[in-house]
C-alpha cells in the first residue's frame, strides 16, 4: 500500500513538473493534476492540502538535485575562472530539463514562506561556492557580484526558453563571456 501511495505521489509530482514547465504556476491546478494522473480530484487532496504544498514538495525534491548538478560541475573545475564558467554552463545546460523548467516557474511565482525558505537553502550552497570563486578572482564585493552573475544566467535562461534567434550554444558562450569579462571583454 505504501509503495502504491509513493508511486501515485511521484506521478502527481511528475504531472506538476509538466504543468509548470508548460504553463507556469497558473497551469498547476488540482483539476489539471487529477486529469494528468487519472486520479479523482478528491484523491489529489489526500496527497497535498494545497497548491503551495505541491510547490513546496517540488522544491524539496528538485532543487537539491538541480543544485547538486551545478555544484558537481563547479567542484570538477580547477581554477576560479573555470568554476565561474561551470556555474554558468551547467545551469544553462539544464534549461531543457523539465525539472529545471519547473524550478524556474516556481522561482518566478508567489510562494509561501516555507517554499521560499527551501529555495533559499538550496541556492545558499551554490551562492557560497560562486562567492568563493569570485573572491579568489579578486572581487571586492563578491556577494553582490554573485547576485549580478545570477542575473546574467537568468537572462540567458529566458533567452533560450523564448527560442531566440541565437542557438543555445551561442547564448551560453555569450553568458560565459559576460561572466568572465564583463561587457567590455
Amino acid at each position: 500500500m505504501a509503495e502504491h501511495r509513493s508511486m501515485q505521489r511521484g506521478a502527481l509530482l511528475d504531472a506538476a513538473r509538466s504543468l509548470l514547465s508548460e504553463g507556469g504556476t497558473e497551469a498547476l491546478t488540482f483539476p489539471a493534476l487529477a486529469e494528468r494522473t487519472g486520479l479523482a480530484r478528491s484523491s489529489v487532496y489526500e496527497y497535498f492540502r494545497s497548491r503551495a504544498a505541491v510547490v513546496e514538495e517540488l522544491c524539496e525534491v528538485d532543487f537539491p538535485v538541480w543544485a547538486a548538478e551545478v555544484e558537481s560541475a563547479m567542484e570538477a573545475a580547477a581554477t576560479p575562472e573555470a568554476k565561474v564558467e561551470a556555474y554558468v554552463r551547467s545551469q544553462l545546460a539544464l534549461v531543457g530539463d523539465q525539472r529545471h523548467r519547473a524550478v524556474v516557474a516556481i522561482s518566478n511565482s508567489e510562494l509561501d514562506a516555507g517554499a521560499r525558505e527551501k529555495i533559499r537553502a538550496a541556492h545558499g550552497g551554490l551562492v557560497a561556492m560562486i562567492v568563493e570563486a569570485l573572491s579568489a578572482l579578486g572581487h571586492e564585493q563578491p556577494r553582490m557580484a554573485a547576485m549580478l552573475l545570477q542575473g546574467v544566467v537568468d537572462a540567458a535562461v529566458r533567452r533560450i526558453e523564448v527560442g531566440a534567434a541565437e542557438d543555445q550554444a551561442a547564448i551560453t558562450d555569450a553568458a560565459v563571456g559576460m561572466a568572465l569579462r564583463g561587457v567590455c571583454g
Side-chain angles (χ1 to χ4, degrees):
M1 182 68 187
E3 190 177 320
H4 180 66
R5 285 188 66 77
S6 173
M7 281 175 55
Q8 285 189 327
R9 187 176 211 89
L12 285 164
L13 290 175
D14 284 343
R17 281 183 200 98
S18 295
L19 290 164
L20 283 166
S21 68
E22 291 162 19
T25 47
E26 306 78 48
L28 181 61
T29 65
F30 277 29
L33 282 172
E35 187 180 322
R36 286 279 168 107
T37 56
L39 293 170
R41 199 183 315 183
S42 58
S43 296
V44 177
Y45 282 99
E46 289 176 29
Y47 291 92
F48 300 104
R49 67 191 179 284
S50 65
R51 218 166 65 133
V54 177
V55 168
E56 200 169 318
E57 185 148 338
L58 278 175
C59 291
E60 273 181 50
V61 172
D62 288 356
F63 259 88
V65 173
W66 176 77
E69 290 179 34
V70 176
E71 192 172 326
S72 172
M74 288 177 70
E75 284 173 350
T79 65
E81 290 91 345
K83 286 185 188 308
V84 170
E85 182 168 350
Y87 179 81
V88 175
R89 284 193 188 281
S90 58
Q91 287 190 65
L92 297 180
L94 292 168
V95 170
D97 185 296
Q98 207 172 57
R99 274 184 332 231
H100 181 266
R101 293 189 59 193
V103 161
V104 170
I106 290 167
S107 299
N108 293 334
S109 69
E110 292 299 311
L111 298 172
D112 65 16
R116 272 198 310 276
E117 194 46 51
K118 286 183 175 66
I119 290 172
R120 261 198 298 282
H123 265 241
L126 287 182
V127 169
M129 289 182 79
I130 200 63
V131 166
E132 190 179 305
L134 293 168
S135 291
L137 288 171
H139 269 281
E140 289 178 22
Q141 293 184 293
R143 196 153 197 73
M144 181 183 69
M147 295 302 128
L148 294 174
L149 173 58
Q150 187 58 48
V152 168
V153 172
D154 293 344
V157 165
R158 283 191 300 278
R159 188 119 185 112
I160 291 166
E161 287 191 332
V162 298
E166 313 85 9
D167 70 2
Q168 185 165 344
I171 295 168
T172 300
D173 289 345
V176 168
M178 191 165 283
L180 293 174
R181 294 182 297 282
V183 292
C184 298

